[in-house]
Amino acid sequence: MGRRFPGTGGGGGGGGGGGGGLPGEFNQFELFSHAGSYTWEKPAGLVEGSRILVHCWGAGGAGAYGGYAGTGDDTYGGGGGGLAVKYIDESALGSTESLTIGTGSETYSSVGGTSSFGSHCSATGGNCGGNSSSNQGVSGKGIGGLGIGGDINKRGGQGGAGYYSTTSNLGGGGGGSAPAPYGDRAGFTGGSASTYGCGGGAGIGGNGGYGSYTGGGGGGSAGAGKDSNNTSYYSCGNGGAGILGAGGTGGAAYYGYVTYGGGNGTAATHGKGGVILNPNEIVFGGGGGGGGTCLLISSGHVTIPGAPGGPGGGGGGVGAYSSSYSYYICAGGGGILGGGGGGAHYQSGGHGGNAGGGGGAGHSDSYIGHGGHGLIIIQYRVA
């Protein structure tokens, strides 16, 4: 699926760095993943007449929460940050360049911060789930950010739509993903929600799963998250496949009268797979996290949190099959570039990974998923 992107290496300045001996155009890279402003110094020994390659992602938007305006759209997940990918000739670089990593949003009505590499390229952050203002020409709640000034400019995925019936029957949409490093397409969309359910966060390889009564699975780096089983109140969605590992398994809830042991169930599992990051490869290869749920029937109860996604994967959503359920468990967080899962009423939305959108939440502003900080990776060759 073309997941490998030519020319990567080292890391530093808020992330990590290094070199390597693999064949390719570059032999060093730097990675910046913490929000803030930095000064990037042109490396000593940068080969004259060469070029560098910059990948610049904006920050993710936060999810919204149910009931802030009393309508069904309240619970959108946040949008993923945009991506700009640009080759820059060595001769066009200053001795230093200003570098900014956007801050992930933590409020339902704001926008994720913009990331930039000098004046060469930038990427805006995603809209939060309650913000429908224009983001580089496109309006809508949870719209993703956009790359600016790159050779490739892509938009982050939109947060998934939430669900509103009553204040005790709300479902949060999953967060949208950022575009994958290769920049072949825009980011994927978070899963939407229906009755008592919530959506899974999107991954760089597929949308988040739809959630009805239980949580949808998070999208993976190589496939979409699975929808929850709408014929059963107890089966949660599996996570989407990863390039380097399987998606997580959705939880399964059971119930019984207290005299028969009450509720019980099987936990959701996280997305498998890891990262390949060296001077000529960038691969975020994780699967999506499995969905979870809360069940309260026949005097028994069971709680199954949504599971986190691996690198490039979204988190699983968490549902709540009861109008009075208030156990405050969490949806799964997204891996790097992945969106957080949505949470139903009284449950917390999952946070997005770097550049991923946060999941929407069913009840109360304090429980929304936050957007992930931006990310910059720089690749170059030194003698």
Side-chain angles (χ1 to χ4, degrees):
M1 298 179 68
R3 291 299 193 269
R4 299 190 176 190
F5 200 100
T8 319
L22 291 179
E25 182 175 357
F26 307 107
N27 61 14
Q28 299 289 322
F29 73 89
E30 295 180 62
L31 182 150
F32 297 80
S33 58
H34 300 301
S37 298
Y38 303 90
T39 298
W40 184 80
E41 296 185 0
K42 186 175 181 179
L46 189 65
V47 175
E48 185 176 355
S50 67
R51 58 185 182 172
I52 71 170
L53 180 57
V54 176
H55 311 251
C56 179
W57 286 270
Y65 69 99
Y68 76 82
T71 66
D73 287 341
D74 297 351
T75 52
Y76 266 92
L83 168 65
V85 181
K86 185 167 187 175
Y87 286 100
I88 305 170
D89 291 337
E90 172 269 334
S91 60
L93 294 167
S95 58
T96 63
E97 298 281 355
S98 297
L99 184 153
T100 301
I101 301 297
T103 301
S105 176
E106 298 183 2
T107 60
Y108 71 88
S109 60
S110 57
V111 180
T114 296
S115 299
S116 60
F117 182 81
S119 60
H120 302 283
C121 61
S122 62
T124 63
N127 280 13
C128 295
N131 187 337
S132 60
S133 63
S134 176
N135 190 320
Q136 295 298 309
V138 178
S139 301
K141 294 179 179 180
I143 286 293
L146 181 67
I148 301 169
D151 302 319
I152 297 172
N153 299 298
K154 296 296 181 182
R155 186 175 292 279
Q158 186 174 11
Y163 174 80
Y164 178 92
S165 176
T166 66
T167 56
S168 57
N169 185 358
L170 299 163
S177 78
Y182 45 85
D184 285 352
R185 56 151 291 154
F188 285 90
T189 302
S192 58
S194 186
T195 307
Y196 294 113
C198 49
I204 61 174
N207 298 332
Y210 168 84
S212 177
Y213 288 97
T214 63
S221 59
K226 305 304 180 182
D227 298 341
S228 63
N229 185 348
N230 298 322
T231 64
S232 169
Y233 298 162
Y234 322 124
S235 298
C236 309
N238 294 333
I243 302 168
L244 302 175
T249 301
Y254 311 98
Y255 71 92
Y257 292 98
V258 172
T259 54
Y260 296 127
N264 61 85
T266 303
T269 63
H270 63 82
K272 310 302 190 294
V275 175
I276 299 173
L277 186 57
N278 60 50
N280 288 284
E281 289 181 296
I282 302 175
V283 181
F284 299 118
T293 191
C294 297
L295 184 64
L296 177 61
I297 301 179
S298 301
S299 301
H301 70 264
V302 61
T303 58
I304 301 173
V318 58
Y321 181 51
S322 171
S323 61
S324 60
Y325 214 78
S326 55
Y327 281 83
Y328 303 103
I329 65 171
C330 298
I336 189 169
L337 304 185
H345 51 283
Y346 296 102
Q347 316 305 335
S348 303
H351 298 330
N354 282 92
H363 180 78
S364 178
D365 191 13
S366 61
Y367 306 128
I368 61 176
H370 298 168
H373 298 322
L375 178 70
I376 291 180
I377 300 175
I378 307 165
Q379 304 162 223
Y380 55 89
R381 174 170 289 277
V382 295

